[in-house]
Amino acid sequence: MTTTTFMTDEELLNLPKNGCKYEFVEGELLMSPAGMRQEKVGARLIYLLETYLDDNPVAEVFGSNTGYRMPSGNFRSPDVSVVRLERLPGGEIPEGFGYFAPDLAIEVLAPKQSRTKLGKKIEEYFQNGTQLVWVVNEKLKTVTVYTAPDEFLTLSEKDALKGAPVLPSFVCPIKEIFKKRSR
């Protein structure tokens, strides 16, 4: 953890490629390596979202190393994110970071993730234009859907996850997110 006042895009892009995810929040460089289960759930979500987007090309989906520069100067990197096509500058995916918040931010809980820090992150997403946040708890097999920082619903494996308003017709049984390979 390093304290500084600001990090440029170039400094962020040149951080060590050591398997860790970085965020720059309120003057601190935060490093959080993901566990295998956390990344597997993120990869599964990317697959499910990409499959939907193949038939419904309304957005692009991004993985855990994609960064978004918030107006506050904070640099956030959700585990999975979705940006609607009309919000991409000039209709193109930027080479560098997004200078906007994603439309859908997905956080896969780490085993010892701070609820306070997660709450601040969710609030910051919404303050900067995010329309939907999904917090995935692999251990409990739940997804908490936020439509505002203080408006949420927790879904279990018997429920279906919906993507509206970002992904209007996306519906996915929660159990599909946690599906394991047959042996």
Side-chain angles (χ1 to χ4, degrees), residues 103-120:
D103 293 297
L104 167 60
I106 304 170
E107 296 290 340
V108 181
L109 289 179
K112 295 184 180 183
Q113 187 158 4
S114 161
R115 293 286 181 182
T116 302
K117 287 182 180 178
L118 178 62
K120 287 181 180 181

Side-chain angles (χ1 to χ4, degrees), residues 135-150:
V135 177
V136 181
N137 187 323
E138 188 273 336
K139 190 173 188 174
L140 297 177
K141 307 289 189 264
T142 62
V143 177
T144 302
V145 177
Y146 288 83
T147 54
D150 57 350

Side-chain angles (χ1 to χ4, degrees), residues 18-149:
N18 55 8
C20 290
K21 180 171 97 168
Y22 293 95
E23 291 187 315
F24 184 75
V25 180
E26 297 174 7
E28 286 186 70
L29 180 63
L30 306 174
M31 177 176 63
S32 60
M36 290 179 76
R37 284 184 179 180
Q38 185 181 0
E39 280 296 304
K40 179 62 179 166
V41 169
R44 181 78 180 147
L45 280 161
I46 289 171
Y47 166 77
L48 294 166
L49 290 165
E50 284 287 2
T51 301
Y52 165 81
L53 290 169
D54 283 344
D55 294 330
N56 303 276
V58 297
E60 294 288 352
V61 64
F62 301 95
S64 63
N65 285 314
T66 302
Y68 297 90
R69 178 80 71 175
M70 301 293 162
S72 65
N74 286 347
F75 176 80
R76 295 293 191 176
S77 187
D79 294 309
V80 178
S81 55
V82 174
V83 178
R84 291 197 43 95
L85 295 177
E86 66 266 15
R87 291 201 50 239
L88 292 170
E92 298 292 326
I93 297 172
E95 250 185 74
F97 303 122
Y99 274 78
F100 48 82
D103 293 297
L104 167 60
I106 304 170
E107 296 290 340
V108 181
L109 289 179
K112 295 184 180 183
Q113 187 158 4
S114 161
R115 293 286 181 182
T116 302
K117 287 182 180 178
L118 178 62
K120 287 181 180 181
K121 184 185 283 193
I122 290 168
E123 191 171 317
E124 185 170 24
Y125 285 141
F126 281 106
Q127 286 173 346
N128 290 285
T130 296
Q131 298 177 55
L132 195 58
V133 175
W134 296 342
V135 177
V136 181
N137 187 323
E138 188 273 336
K139 190 173 188 174
L140 297 177
K141 307 289 189 264
T142 62
V143 177
T144 302
V145 177
Y146 288 83
T147 54

